[in-house]
Amino acid sequence: MTGSLHRNALWLALALSTMPLAAAWADDALTRAVDGMTFDQFAQKTLRDYDVPGAVVVVASADGPVFVKGYGVRRNGAPDPVDVDTRFQIASMSKFVAATAVATLVDRGVVSWDQPVIGFSAATALAVPYATENATLRDYFAHRTGLPAYGGDLLPVLGYSPDELASSARFLPFDHSFREKWAYSNYGIFLGQHAAAQAAGLTPPDLLATAIFRPLGMVRSGPTRATLFEDDNHAAAHNLDDSIMPNEDVDAFSGAGAIVSTGADIARWMQMLLADGSFEGRSVLSKQAVTDIYAASMVQGTGGPLHDPNDSAGLGCESYHFLQYRVIEKNGALNGVRTIVTLIPERRIGIAVFSNKQLTVYGEAVRAAFLERELGPSGQDLQTEIRKQQPLWNAVLDVPRPPADAQPLARDLGAFVGRYESTLYGEMTIARSGDLLSVAIGPAAYPGRLSHWSGDTFLLTFENPDLFPGLMTFAFAPGGPTASAIDGSQVPKSATSDFGHFARVQ
């Protein structure tokens, strides 16, 4: 305990300075003025520009932390500052950390990136038998299994156990062929991590703790949301209007998005990766393991600040080129938080940014400034380009509106009330309250609501804006007074979900 307190006090002292902490950043990039601002001044000004309550910025090298500093406040309207020990949910950055945890099992020979998962996890089955028989951990961590993008994202909040979630994957239909294309899948990352952890006799959270957090001395990090609330030094989640949002609970999907960490702790993990798996004289990962994680396993499309046409999926991360350098990156978003980590292996340096604002591009702006200071001017106005992206991020939260030619509701709402069941999601109960229809799904009776769309179709929405809505079309037998089934497969735009089929429970 004494050692931890001393370490935390040291980190706090370091956070109050912008002086380099390890090997000097190239050409004193921290203190060199660009457009009249040092890097520290840019980070502070950009925080105000994007109206972000608080953030932590970390630059780390293979030798240790270079720059770690908190900006702003943990909670809007309160004076407590963000510092290097402030806990944040790191959202989908968790996938990159989870890949490093699984890589320790690969190093030990417990699992392999390229062995079919069914060989060591018989319960991990997909809807397509060929995919079940051939899908590897590389397929799951590079989003190339055939699982639909964001398919099953409602599952973590419904009250199912990890084993139940793993066994339910066989009921999620593919919308493209195995290894045909890249499609971002939180469910897929969970399935890969769960199978690997089981092969080692561990739960997914225990794998993260024993393989990464403890060996790296990440004493304020944890694999579940509960870690966030172990003391008062944690970031609140802020909506676009700066109101406080609930911190999202995605614990059931573990390494797909549930990790909590701090600037000080994540610097240690970055240092390990930038040192090819070594940390303070000990090998946490083999150099080959780090190479495997970074390796391009599937072309994603265009990505990165310079729009590299060959942006590629690694294992829990992606890679693109900035000027002549290959960059490894992973970003994340949950309710009221955005995160990003960017590594330049050839230069053995990287940056991470955590910010407590819904869908803000603050992290991308600071990351772009870092890349240009470290690697050279891009020849483009990256900050203007990134600022133009903010409205597009905000639009992700727009709720679809009924079509202009929407048909009126021709039945009494009571015709839609009842109990329905899906092989993937379980039971859904629809109840009427005046002129409204509410839903309760799964063992946790997770709440949602149905608003009329057109004819016998309703839009299913949830209070959590991170859960995409979907269209639910009710089917009626000829002359039947009540609905017999629901088709939830219509997707009117990209930010909506396919909820599949529900049959009425007789």
mmCIF file of all heavy atoms in Angstrom, residues 199-222:
data_model
loop_
_atom_site.group_PDB
_atom_site.id
_atom_site.type_symbol
_atom_site.label_atom_id
_atom_site.label_comp_id
_atom_site.label_asym_id
_atom_site.label_seq_id
_atom_site.Cartn_x
_atom_site.Cartn_y
_atom_site.Cartn_z
ATOM 1 N N ALA A 199 -10.177 -21.373 -21.964
ATOM 2 C CA ALA A 199 -9.112 -22.341 -22.225
ATOM 3 C C ALA A 199 -8.028 -22.283 -21.150
ATOM 4 O O ALA A 199 -7.336 -23.275 -20.894
ATOM 5 C CB ALA A 199 -8.498 -22.092 -23.601
ATOM 6 N N ALA A 200 -7.888 -21.104 -20.520
ATOM 7 C CA ALA A 200 -6.903 -20.935 -19.446
ATOM 8 C C ALA A 200 -7.520 -21.139 -18.068
ATOM 9 O O ALA A 200 -6.828 -20.946 -17.060
ATOM 10 C CB ALA A 200 -6.290 -19.542 -19.529
ATOM 11 N N GLY A 201 -8.799 -21.515 -18.009
ATOM 12 C CA GLY A 201 -9.465 -21.708 -16.723
ATOM 13 C C GLY A 201 -9.777 -20.417 -16.009
ATOM 14 O O GLY A 201 -9.864 -20.393 -14.775
ATOM 15 N N LEU A 202 -9.988 -19.322 -16.771
ATOM 16 C CA LEU A 202 -10.229 -18.005 -16.193
ATOM 17 C C LEU A 202 -11.516 -17.412 -16.733
ATOM 18 O O LEU A 202 -12.002 -17.805 -17.799
ATOM 19 C CB LEU A 202 -9.068 -17.058 -16.534
ATOM 20 C CG LEU A 202 -7.679 -17.422 -16.017
ATOM 21 C CD1 LEU A 202 -6.634 -16.546 -16.702
ATOM 22 C CD2 LEU A 202 -7.621 -17.242 -14.504
ATOM 23 N N THR A 203 -12.057 -16.428 -16.024
ATOM 24 C CA THR A 203 -13.107 -15.596 -16.588
ATOM 25 C C THR A 203 -12.435 -14.487 -17.393
ATOM 26 O O THR A 203 -11.257 -14.172 -17.172
ATOM 27 C CB THR A 203 -13.966 -14.966 -15.490
ATOM 28 O OG1 THR A 203 -13.158 -14.035 -14.735
ATOM 29 C CG2 THR A 203 -14.554 -16.020 -14.564
ATOM 30 N N PRO A 204 -13.151 -13.865 -18.337
ATOM 31 C CA PRO A 204 -12.541 -12.754 -19.079
ATOM 32 C C PRO A 204 -12.007 -11.628 -18.182
ATOM 33 O O PRO A 204 -10.885 -11.157 -18.395
ATOM 34 C CB PRO A 204 -13.671 -12.284 -19.993
ATOM 35 C CG PRO A 204 -14.463 -13.530 -20.253
ATOM 36 C CD PRO A 204 -14.455 -14.252 -18.925
ATOM 37 N N PRO A 205 -12.751 -11.172 -17.147
ATOM 38 C CA PRO A 205 -12.175 -10.134 -16.277
ATOM 39 C C PRO A 205 -10.914 -10.598 -15.550
ATOM 40 O O PRO A 205 -9.963 -9.824 -15.393
ATOM 41 C CB PRO A 205 -13.309 -9.830 -15.289
ATOM 42 C CG PRO A 205 -14.553 -10.192 -16.022
ATOM 43 C CD PRO A 205 -14.178 -11.403 -16.823
ATOM 44 N N ASP A 206 -10.896 -11.859 -15.096
ATOM 45 C CA ASP A 206 -9.704 -12.362 -14.399
ATOM 46 C C ASP A 206 -8.504 -12.430 -15.339
ATOM 47 O O ASP A 206 -7.363 -12.195 -14.923
ATOM 48 C CB ASP A 206 -9.979 -13.739 -13.802
ATOM 49 C CG ASP A 206 -10.823 -13.678 -12.540
ATOM 50 O OD1 ASP A 206 -10.944 -12.566 -11.966
ATOM 51 O OD2 ASP A 206 -11.377 -14.711 -12.139
ATOM 52 N N LEU A 207 -8.740 -12.747 -16.610
ATOM 53 C CA LEU A 207 -7.646 -12.773 -17.574
ATOM 54 C C LEU A 207 -7.022 -11.392 -17.708
ATOM 55 O O LEU A 207 -5.791 -11.247 -17.686
ATOM 56 C CB LEU A 207 -8.158 -13.256 -18.941
ATOM 57 C CG LEU A 207 -7.161 -13.147 -20.094
ATOM 58 C CD1 LEU A 207 -5.915 -13.998 -19.836
ATOM 59 C CD2 LEU A 207 -7.818 -13.546 -21.418
ATOM 60 N N LEU A 208 -7.842 -10.354 -17.822
ATOM 61 C CA LEU A 208 -7.317 -8.994 -17.923
ATOM 62 C C LEU A 208 -6.510 -8.615 -16.690
ATOM 63 O O LEU A 208 -5.422 -8.019 -16.792
ATOM 64 C CB LEU A 208 -8.472 -8.006 -18.117
ATOM 65 C CG LEU A 208 -9.193 -8.078 -19.462
ATOM 66 C CD1 LEU A 208 -10.516 -7.312 -19.404
ATOM 67 C CD2 LEU A 208 -8.316 -7.518 -20.567
ATOM 68 N N ALA A 209 -7.033 -8.963 -15.518
ATOM 69 C CA ALA A 209 -6.355 -8.595 -14.265
ATOM 70 C C ALA A 209 -5.023 -9.312 -14.111
ATOM 71 O O ALA A 209 -4.011 -8.701 -13.761
ATOM 72 C CB ALA A 209 -7.271 -8.887 -13.083
ATOM 73 N N THR A 210 -5.009 -10.618 -14.372
ATOM 74 C CA THR A 210 -3.799 -11.403 -14.111
ATOM 75 C C THR A 210 -2.757 -11.271 -15.214
ATOM 76 O O THR A 210 -1.552 -11.370 -14.944
ATOM 77 C CB THR A 210 -4.151 -12.891 -13.933
ATOM 78 O OG1 THR A 210 -4.810 -13.376 -15.114
ATOM 79 C CG2 THR A 210 -5.059 -13.087 -12.727
ATOM 80 N N ALA A 211 -3.197 -11.043 -16.443
ATOM 81 C CA ALA A 211 -2.246 -10.993 -17.556
ATOM 82 C C ALA A 211 -1.681 -9.606 -17.802
ATOM 83 O O ALA A 211 -0.537 -9.475 -18.251
ATOM 84 C CB ALA A 211 -2.918 -11.497 -18.841
ATOM 85 N N ILE A 212 -2.458 -8.551 -17.491
ATOM 86 C CA ILE A 212 -2.030 -7.199 -17.841
ATOM 87 C C ILE A 212 -1.948 -6.265 -16.633
ATOM 88 O O ILE A 212 -0.903 -5.694 -16.336
ATOM 89 C CB ILE A 212 -2.970 -6.595 -18.912
ATOM 90 C CG1 ILE A 212 -2.903 -7.425 -20.198
ATOM 91 C CG2 ILE A 212 -2.599 -5.139 -19.198
ATOM 92 C CD1 ILE A 212 -1.541 -7.476 -20.858
ATOM 93 N N PHE A 213 -3.046 -6.088 -15.905
ATOM 94 C CA PHE A 213 -3.068 -5.057 -14.871
ATOM 95 C C PHE A 213 -2.045 -5.316 -13.773
ATOM 96 O O PHE A 213 -1.288 -4.418 -13.393
ATOM 97 C CB PHE A 213 -4.472 -4.924 -14.268
ATOM 98 C CG PHE A 213 -5.548 -4.590 -15.268
ATOM 99 C CD1 PHE A 213 -6.830 -5.088 -15.130
ATOM 100 C CD2 PHE A 213 -5.283 -3.773 -16.357
ATOM 101 C CE1 PHE A 213 -7.825 -4.790 -16.038
ATOM 102 C CE2 PHE A 213 -6.267 -3.467 -17.285
ATOM 103 C CZ PHE A 213 -7.539 -3.988 -17.122
ATOM 104 N N ARG A 214 -2.010 -6.527 -13.242
ATOM 105 C CA ARG A 214 -1.076 -6.816 -12.144
ATOM 106 C C ARG A 214 0.378 -6.819 -12.596
ATOM 107 O O ARG A 214 1.229 -6.186 -11.951
ATOM 108 C CB ARG A 214 -1.455 -8.139 -11.474
ATOM 109 C CG ARG A 214 -2.776 -8.058 -10.709
ATOM 110 C CD ARG A 214 -3.215 -9.410 -10.184
ATOM 111 N NE ARG A 214 -4.615 -9.412 -9.781
ATOM 112 C CZ ARG A 214 -5.334 -10.502 -9.584
ATOM 113 N NH1 ARG A 214 -4.785 -11.705 -9.713
ATOM 114 N NH2 ARG A 214 -6.611 -10.402 -9.240
ATOM 115 N N PRO A 215 0.728 -7.502 -13.687
ATOM 116 C CA PRO A 215 2.140 -7.480 -14.098
ATOM 117 C C PRO A 215 2.671 -6.089 -14.416
ATOM 118 O O PRO A 215 3.855 -5.818 -14.234
ATOM 119 C CB PRO A 215 2.147 -8.373 -15.347
ATOM 120 C CG PRO A 215 0.979 -9.275 -15.188
ATOM 121 C CD PRO A 215 -0.063 -8.444 -14.489
ATOM 122 N N LEU A 216 1.787 -5.185 -14.899
ATOM 123 C CA LEU A 216 2.233 -3.843 -15.250
ATOM 124 C C LEU A 216 2.051 -2.842 -14.116
ATOM 125 O O LEU A 216 2.366 -1.661 -14.274
ATOM 126 C CB LEU A 216 1.473 -3.351 -16.484
ATOM 127 C CG LEU A 216 1.785 -4.088 -17.792
ATOM 128 C CD1 LEU A 216 0.922 -3.554 -18.924
ATOM 129 C CD2 LEU A 216 3.258 -3.959 -18.149
ATOM 130 N N GLY A 217 1.563 -3.297 -12.960
ATOM 131 C CA GLY A 217 1.361 -2.381 -11.834
ATOM 132 C C GLY A 217 0.309 -1.331 -12.121
ATOM 133 O O GLY A 217 0.395 -0.194 -11.618
ATOM 134 N N MET A 218 -0.725 -1.698 -12.888
ATOM 135 C CA MET A 218 -1.810 -0.762 -13.205
ATOM 136 C C MET A 218 -2.827 -0.806 -12.065
ATOM 137 O O MET A 218 -3.912 -1.383 -12.169
ATOM 138 C CB MET A 218 -2.434 -1.135 -14.559
ATOM 139 C CG MET A 218 -1.448 -1.022 -15.708
ATOM 140 S SD MET A 218 -2.062 -1.678 -17.305
ATOM 141 C CE MET A 218 -3.376 -0.518 -17.699
ATOM 142 N N VAL A 219 -2.439 -0.172 -10.938
ATOM 143 C CA VAL A 219 -3.138 -0.376 -9.676
ATOM 144 C C VAL A 219 -4.511 0.302 -9.616
ATOM 145 O O VAL A 219 -5.330 -0.030 -8.755
ATOM 146 C CB VAL A 219 -2.279 0.105 -8.496
ATOM 147 C CG1 VAL A 219 -1.016 -0.719 -8.383
ATOM 148 C CG2 VAL A 219 -1.942 1.594 -8.631
ATOM 149 N N ARG A 220 -4.783 1.249 -10.510
ATOM 150 C CA ARG A 220 -6.082 1.926 -10.501
ATOM 151 C C ARG A 220 -6.938 1.511 -11.709
ATOM 152 O O ARG A 220 -7.939 2.161 -12.009
ATOM 153 C CB ARG A 220 -5.897 3.448 -10.468
ATOM 154 C CG ARG A 220 -5.382 3.922 -9.100
ATOM 155 C CD ARG A 220 -5.261 5.445 -9.034
ATOM 156 N NE ARG A 220 -6.515 6.144 -9.257
ATOM 157 C CZ ARG A 220 -7.489 6.292 -8.359
ATOM 158 N NH1 ARG A 220 -7.367 5.754 -7.149
ATOM 159 N NH2 ARG A 220 -8.598 6.957 -8.656
ATOM 160 N N SER A 221 -6.543 0.445 -12.375
ATOM 161 C CA SER A 221 -7.295 -0.063 -13.511
ATOM 162 C C SER A 221 -8.068 -1.309 -13.110
ATOM 163 O O SER A 221 -7.712 -1.999 -12.150
ATOM 164 C CB SER A 221 -6.351 -0.394 -14.675
ATOM 165 O OG SER A 221 -5.670 0.758 -15.115
ATOM 166 N N GLY A 222 -9.139 -1.605 -13.864
ATOM 167 C CA GLY A 222 -9.914 -2.794 -13.574
ATOM 168 C C GLY A 222 -10.733 -3.206 -14.780
ATOM 169 O O GLY A 222 -10.941 -2.420 -15.709
#
